[in-house]
Amino acid sequence: LSLHDALPICPHPEMPCTPWLHTDHWMTAQRPPVSAGSAPRRGTLLGEYVAVATTPTTHMWLATLTRDAKPYPGRHRIQGTELVPASVLLQTLSTTAVNCGASAVSDVRLEYPIVVDEPRLLQVTADNDTVTVSSSSESHTGRPRWVRHAVAQMSHASRSAVSSPVDADEGGDAYDPALARERQRAWGIDGQPFAWSVVSCRKLRHGLCAEVELPNSSGTELLDAAIHLARLADSLDERLMFSAAVGDVWLEPGLADAHCGIEIHRRTDDSDELVVDIVGTSGSGVRCVDIRGLRFAAAESAATVAGDPRKLAHTVEWQPWRDQVDRTRPVDAHPTLALLGSDAASEFSERF
């Protein structure tokens, strides 16, 4: 069979003299850059708003936290390390909930302190009635490692449902504000995030009440003063303690005056924990801060912590290994290894 006789007469393409050699050429996908966000607003960790296209919609705020761009004008050093105060975290959670149509936050957990030592990307998200505050910094692998600092549930309860029970507590002796500052220095707390001052303070049977002066008539200033004074409800306890959880938080913006009142009542039960209810009122007596079930957790002493804030919440202690394995039993050829935490699993997979 002749090829020229079988094919019609027409121009044919020239065929290469060598066979085609196929090779793979893969394009490396670049990770999209994460927006650095703006500086956090005063009194909160909220920055630039970003709408996430999800169903339902996820709300996100991004901000960059640095030593020169803090959301509070003063300083808040714990054993020499600058930490974002709990008042800023609670104000952030409450403001985010209000922006999403809620009236308060509940089941608040302050899980990990935010250290102001290097630039950190802050991320506040609100989805499915949950508000979360997280941050990240570049790790040794070049990938951001996210740490969750606080989480709360948005609540639509009315103010009357959130209001703290205030009993007719009998008044006691006056409390010298200078003693409060001396006690804080003994606990290793240096500085004050906001420029509030105590005009007068009086002991109660189960707490204390105070009159404070707010230079900027800010609700965050009132909240910060209330949390700082709440620790004095148990001033006899010499341990370093931090805000760890809150049952309910209701803040009314725009009601704080230059002179406000704070009432702190310690819950009396069989537990040794320090749990208080706080009510903050304006100069006219209108409630603008209502906190129920603020629980303090004890940290380790300054000698044990050695100034490391990462050990404030949890301490890892190495214990000698005691071999208690029964060598008479057959060894499992396929043992099980459990990795707790996303960061630990990620680092283990990168190493091995």
Side-chain angles (χ1 to χ4, degrees):
L1 177 64
S2 174
L3 186 61
H4 293 283
D5 296 338
L7 296 177
I9 301 175
C10 61
H12 303 287
E14 294 291 336
M15 299 298 293
C17 300
T18 56
W20 295 100
L21 299 178
H22 298 277
T23 58
D24 296 331
H25 298 275
W26 296 99
M27 178 180 296
T28 303
Q30 299 293 332
R31 180 178 282 103
V34 179
S35 174
S38 58
R41 307 173 193 172
R42 181 184 175 92
T44 72
L45 299 175
L46 299 175
E48 178 185 358
Y49 175 74
V50 178
V52 182
T54 58
T55 304
T57 304
T58 298
H59 305 277
M60 180 184 299
W61 289 263
L62 296 177
T64 300
L65 177 67
T66 63
R67 294 180 179 179
D68 299 328
K70 298 180 301 185
Y72 51 96
R75 67 179 187 272
H76 183 245
R77 296 175 183 173
I78 308 297
Q79 300 173 354
T81 302
E82 186 72 23
L83 300 179
V84 174
S87 58
V88 174
L89 287 171
L90 293 182
Q91 185 69 59
T92 300
L93 297 171
S94 178
T95 303
T96 303
V98 172
N99 291 338
C100 296
S103 58
V105 290
S106 60
D107 299 330
V108 180
R109 298 195 307 273
L110 306 179
E111 299 178 344
Y112 202 83
I114 302 179
V115 184
V116 189
D117 56 352
E118 59 182 357
R120 301 189 67 86
L121 177 62
L122 302 174
Q123 184 182 86
V124 182
T125 58
D127 59 341
N128 296 328
D129 289 335
T130 302
V131 183
T132 306
V133 178
S134 307
S135 74
S136 73
S137 61
E138 290 293 331
S139 63
H140 64 281
T141 60
R143 298 186 305 175
R145 297 180 57 185
W146 291 95
V147 178
R148 190 175 71 175
H149 301 281
V151 62
Q153 299 296 318
M154 288 184 281
S155 173
H156 300 274
S158 61
R159 182 177 68 88
S160 58
V162 178
S163 296
S164 303
V166 179
D167 300 328
D169 205 343
E170 298 179 358
D173 299 333
Y175 194 94
D176 188 0
L179 296 178
R181 293 190 294 269
E182 181 180 348
R183 176 61 65 182
Q184 288 189 346
R185 287 192 295 267
W187 290 329
I189 302 175
D190 178 29
Q192 188 172 289
F194 298 93
W196 50 267
S197 59
V198 179
V199 178
S200 64
C201 187
R202 182 168 52 91
K203 292 182 180 179
L204 301 176
R205 184 177 55 179
H206 299 296
L208 55 91
C209 63
E211 294 182 4
V212 294
E213 184 176 357
L214 311 178
N216 301 304
S217 301
S218 169
T220 308
E221 293 177 344
L222 179 59
L223 178 62
D224 186 72
I227 294 178
H228 274 75
L229 294 176
R231 175 61 184 88
L232 300 176
D234 188 6
S235 59
L236 298 179
D237 193 337
E238 298 181 354
R239 296 177 299 173
L240 179 63
M241 305 183 76
F242 296 90
S243 305
V246 190
D248 298 283
V249 178
W250 179 89
L251 306 177
E252 181 64 28
L255 289 183
D257 298 330
H259 297 275
C260 293
I262 298 174
E263 293 186 14
I264 302 167
H265 298 265
R266 181 178 183 178
R267 294 188 177 183
T268 56
D269 51 17
D270 297 334
S271 175
D272 294 334
E273 291 185 335
L274 177 57
V275 182
V276 299
D277 297 324
I278 303 174
V279 174
T281 57
S282 63
S284 58
V286 180
R287 289 193 181 191
C288 47
V289 173
D290 232 322
I291 298 177
R292 181 162 54 187
L294 171 60
R295 181 173 62 85
F296 288 86
E300 293 192 357
S301 63
T304 306
V305 177
D308 188 358
R310 295 168 180 82
K311 297 180 181 179
L312 295 178
H314 305 282
T315 303
V316 178
E317 297 181 355
W318 294 98
Q319 301 291 339
W321 168 259
R322 295 179 176 83
D323 191 357
Q324 300 178 353
V325 179
D326 187 2
R327 300 186 182 277
T328 60
R329 298 178 57 185
V331 179
D332 188 1
H334 302 284
T336 301
L337 175 64
L339 297 178
L340 303 180
S342 58
D343 293 341
S346 176
E347 292 184 4
F348 186 83
S349 60
E350 291 176 359
R351 287 177 141 184
F352 302 97

Coordinates of all heavy atoms in Angstrom, one line a residue, residues 266-309:
R266 N -18.1 40.7 96.2 CA -17.5 39.3 96.1 C -18.6 38.3 96.4 O -19.4 38.4 97.4 CB -16.4 39.1 97.1 CG -15.7 37.8 97.0 CD -14.5 37.6 97.9 NE -13.9 36.3 97.7 CZ -12.8 35.9 98.3 NH1 -12.3 36.7 99.2 NH2 -12.3 34.7 98.1
R267 N -18.7 37.3 95.6 CA -19.6 36.2 95.8 C -19.1 35.3 97.0 O -17.9 34.9 97.0 CB -19.8 35.3 94.5 CG -20.4 36.1 93.4 CD -20.7 35.2 92.2 NE -21.4 35.9 91.2 CZ -21.8 35.3 90.1 NH1 -21.6 34.0 89.9 NH2 -22.4 36.0 89.1
T268 N -20.0 35.1 97.9 CA -19.6 34.3 99.1 C -20.2 32.9 98.9 O -21.4 32.7 98.9 CB -20.2 34.9 100.3 OG1 -21.6 35.1 100.2 CG2 -19.6 36.3 100.6
D269 N -19.4 31.9 98.7 CA -19.8 30.5 98.6 C -18.7 29.7 99.2 O -17.7 30.2 99.9 CB -20.0 30.1 97.1 CG -18.9 30.5 96.2 OD1 -17.7 30.7 96.7 OD2 -19.1 30.5 95.0
D270 N -18.7 28.4 99.1 CA -17.8 27.5 99.7 C -16.4 27.5 98.9 O -15.5 26.8 99.4 CB -18.3 26.1 99.8 CG -19.6 26.1 100.7 OD1 -19.7 26.9 101.6 OD2 -20.4 25.2 100.5
S271 N -16.4 28.1 97.7 CA -15.2 28.0 96.9 C -14.2 29.1 97.4 O -14.5 30.1 97.9 CB -15.5 28.3 95.5 OG -14.3 28.3 94.7
D272 N -12.9 28.7 97.2 CA -11.8 29.7 97.6 C -11.5 30.6 96.4 O -10.6 31.5 96.6 CB -10.5 28.9 98.0 CG -10.7 28.1 99.2 OD1 -11.6 28.5 100.0 OD2 -10.1 27.1 99.4
E273 N -12.2 30.5 95.3 CA -11.9 31.4 94.2 C -12.4 32.8 94.4 O -13.3 33.0 95.2 CB -12.6 30.8 92.9 CG -11.9 29.5 92.4 CD -12.6 29.1 91.1 OE1 -13.7 29.5 90.8 OE2 -11.9 28.4 90.3
L274 N -11.8 33.7 93.8 CA -12.2 35.1 93.8 C -13.1 35.4 92.6 O -12.7 35.5 91.5 CB -11.0 36.0 93.8 CG -11.3 37.6 93.8 CD1 -12.2 37.9 95.0 CD2 -10.1 38.4 93.7
V275 N -14.4 35.5 92.9 CA -15.5 35.8 91.9 C -16.2 37.0 92.3 O -16.8 37.0 93.5 CB -16.4 34.6 91.6 CG1 -17.4 34.9 90.5 CG2 -15.6 33.3 91.3
V276 N -16.3 38.0 91.5 CA -17.0 39.2 91.9 C -18.0 39.7 90.9 O -18.0 39.3 89.7 CB -16.0 40.4 92.1 CG1 -15.0 40.0 93.2 CG2 -15.2 40.7 90.8
D277 N -19.0 40.5 91.3 CA -19.9 41.2 90.5 C -19.6 42.7 90.5 O -19.4 43.2 91.6 CB -21.4 40.9 90.9 CG -21.7 39.4 90.8 OD1 -21.2 38.8 89.8 OD2 -22.5 38.9 91.6
I278 N -19.7 43.3 89.4 CA -19.3 44.7 89.3 C -20.4 45.5 88.7 O -21.0 45.1 87.7 CB -18.0 44.9 88.5 CG1 -16.9 44.1 89.1 CG2 -17.6 46.4 88.4 CD1 -15.6 44.1 88.2
V279 N -20.7 46.7 89.3 CA -21.6 47.7 88.8 C -20.9 49.0 88.7 O -20.4 49.5 89.7 CB -22.9 47.7 89.6 CG1 -23.8 48.9 89.1 CG2 -23.6 46.4 89.6
G280 N -21.0 49.6 87.5 CA -20.4 50.9 87.3 C -21.5 51.9 86.9 O -22.3 51.6 86.0
T281 N -21.6 53.0 87.6 CA -22.7 54.0 87.4 C -22.1 55.3 87.0 O -20.9 55.7 87.4 CB -23.5 54.2 88.6 OG1 -22.7 54.5 89.7 CG2 -24.2 52.8 89.0
S282 N -22.8 56.1 86.3 CA -22.4 57.5 85.9 C -22.7 58.4 87.1 O -23.1 58.0 88.1 CB -23.2 57.9 84.7 OG -24.6 58.0 85.0
G283 N -22.3 59.7 86.8 CA -22.5 60.6 87.9 C -23.9 60.8 88.3 O -24.2 61.2 89.5
S284 N -24.9 60.6 87.4 CA -26.3 60.7 87.7 C -26.9 59.4 88.2 O -28.1 59.3 88.4 CB -27.0 61.1 86.4 OG -26.8 60.2 85.4
G285 N -26.1 58.4 88.4 CA -26.6 57.1 89.0 C -27.0 56.1 87.9 O -27.6 55.1 88.3
V286 N -26.9 56.4 86.7 CA -27.3 55.4 85.6 C -26.2 54.4 85.4 O -25.1 54.7 85.3 CB -27.6 56.2 84.3 CG1 -28.0 55.2 83.2 CG2 -28.6 57.3 84.5
R287 N -26.7 53.1 85.4 CA -25.7 52.0 85.1 C -25.2 52.1 83.7 O -25.9 52.1 82.8 CB -26.4 50.7 85.4 CG -26.7 50.4 86.8 CD -27.1 48.9 87.0 NE -27.4 48.6 88.4 CZ -27.6 47.4 88.8 NH1 -27.4 46.3 88.0 NH2 -27.9 47.1 90.1
C288 N -23.9 52.0 83.6 CA -23.2 51.9 82.3 C -22.3 50.7 82.2 O -21.8 50.4 81.1 CB -22.5 53.2 82.0 SG -21.5 53.8 83.3
V289 N -22.0 50.0 83.3 CA -21.1 48.8 83.3 C -21.8 47.8 84.2 O -22.1 48.1 85.4 CB -19.7 49.1 83.8 CG1 -18.9 47.8 83.9 CG2 -19.0 50.0 82.8
D290 N -22.0 46.6 83.7 CA -22.6 45.5 84.5 C -21.8 44.2 84.2 O -21.9 43.7 83.0 CB -24.1 45.4 84.1 CG -25.0 45.4 85.3 OD1 -24.5 44.8 86.4 OD2 -26.1 46.0 85.3
I291 N -21.2 43.7 85.1 CA -20.4 42.5 85.0 C -20.8 41.5 86.0 O -20.8 41.8 87.2 CB -18.8 42.8 85.1 CG1 -18.4 43.8 84.0 CG2 -18.0 41.6 85.0 CD1 -17.0 44.2 84.1
R292 N -21.1 40.3 85.6 CA -21.5 39.3 86.5 C -20.6 38.1 86.4 O -20.3 37.6 85.3 CB -22.9 38.8 86.2 CG -23.4 37.8 87.2 CD -24.9 37.6 87.2 NE -25.4 37.4 85.8 CZ -26.8 37.4 85.6 NH1 -27.6 37.7 86.5 NH2 -27.2 37.2 84.3
G293 N -20.0 37.7 87.5 CA -19.2 36.5 87.6 C -17.8 36.7 87.0 O -17.3 35.8 86.2
L294 N -17.1 37.8 87.4 CA -15.7 38.0 87.0 C -14.8 37.1 87.9 O -14.7 37.3 89.1 CB -15.3 39.4 87.1 CG -13.8 39.7 86.9 CD1 -13.3 39.3 85.5 CD2 -13.5 41.2 87.1
R295 N -14.2 36.1 87.3 CA -13.4 35.1 88.0 C -11.9 35.4 87.8 O -11.5 35.6 86.7 CB -13.7 33.7 87.6 CG -13.0 32.6 88.4 CD -13.5 31.2 88.1 NE -13.3 30.9 86.7 CZ -12.1 30.4 86.2 NH1 -11.1 30.2 87.0 NH2 -12.0 30.2 84.9
F296 N -11.2 35.4 88.9 CA -9.7 35.6 88.9 C -9.1 34.3 89.1 O -9.5 33.4 89.9 CB -9.3 36.6 90.0 CG -9.6 38.0 89.7 CD1 -10.9 38.5 90.1 CD2 -8.7 38.9 89.1 CE1 -11.2 39.8 89.8 CE2 -9.1 40.2 88.8 CZ -10.3 40.7 89.2
A297 N -8.0 34.1 88.3 CA -7.2 32.8 88.5 C -5.8 33.2 89.0 O -5.2 34.2 88.5 CB -7.1 32.1 87.1
A298 N -5.3 32.4 89.9 CA -4.0 32.7 90.5 C -2.9 32.2 89.5 O -2.9 31.1 89.0 CB -3.9 32.0 91.8
A299 N -1.9 33.1 89.4 CA -0.7 32.7 88.6 C 0.4 32.3 89.6 O 0.2 32.4 90.9 CB -0.2 33.9 87.8
E300 N 1.5 31.9 89.1 CA 2.6 31.5 90.0 C 3.3 32.8 90.5 O 3.1 33.9 90.1 CB 3.6 30.7 89.2 CG 3.0 29.3 88.8 CD 4.1 28.4 88.3 OE1 5.3 28.8 88.3 OE2 3.8 27.2 88.1
S301 N 4.1 32.6 91.5 CA 4.9 33.7 92.1 C 5.9 34.2 91.1 O 6.3 33.5 90.1 CB 5.6 33.2 93.4 OG 6.5 32.2 93.1
A302 N 6.4 35.4 91.4 CA 7.4 36.0 90.5 C 8.7 35.2 90.4 O 9.3 35.1 89.3 CB 7.7 37.4 91.0
A303 N 9.1 34.5 91.5 CA 10.3 33.7 91.4 C 10.2 32.5 90.5 O 11.1 32.1 89.8 CB 10.7 33.3 92.8
T304 N 9.0 31.9 90.5 CA 8.8 30.7 89.6 C 8.6 31.1 88.2 O 9.1 30.5 87.3 CB 7.6 29.9 90.2 OG1 7.8 29.6 91.5 CG2 7.4 28.6 89.4
V305 N 7.7 32.2 88.0 CA 7.5 32.6 86.6 C 8.7 33.2 85.9 O 8.9 33.0 84.8 CB 6.3 33.6 86.6 CG1 6.0 34.1 85.2 CG2 5.1 32.9 87.2
A306 N 9.5 33.9 86.7 CA 10.7 34.5 86.2 C 10.4 35.5 85.1 O 11.1 35.6 84.1 CB 11.7 33.4 85.7
G307 N 9.3 36.2 85.2 CA 9.0 37.2 84.2 C 8.5 36.7 82.9 O 8.3 37.5 82.0
D308 N 8.2 35.5 82.7 CA 7.7 35.0 81.5 C 6.2 34.9 81.5 O 5.6 34.1 82.2 CB 8.2 33.6 81.2 CG 7.9 33.1 79.8 OD1 7.3 33.8 79.1 OD2 8.3 31.9 79.5
P309 N 5.5 35.8 80.7 CA 4.0 35.8 80.8 C 3.4 34.6 80.2 O 2.2 34.3 80.4 CB 3.7 37.1 80.0 CG 4.8 37.3 79.1 CD 6.0 36.8 79.8

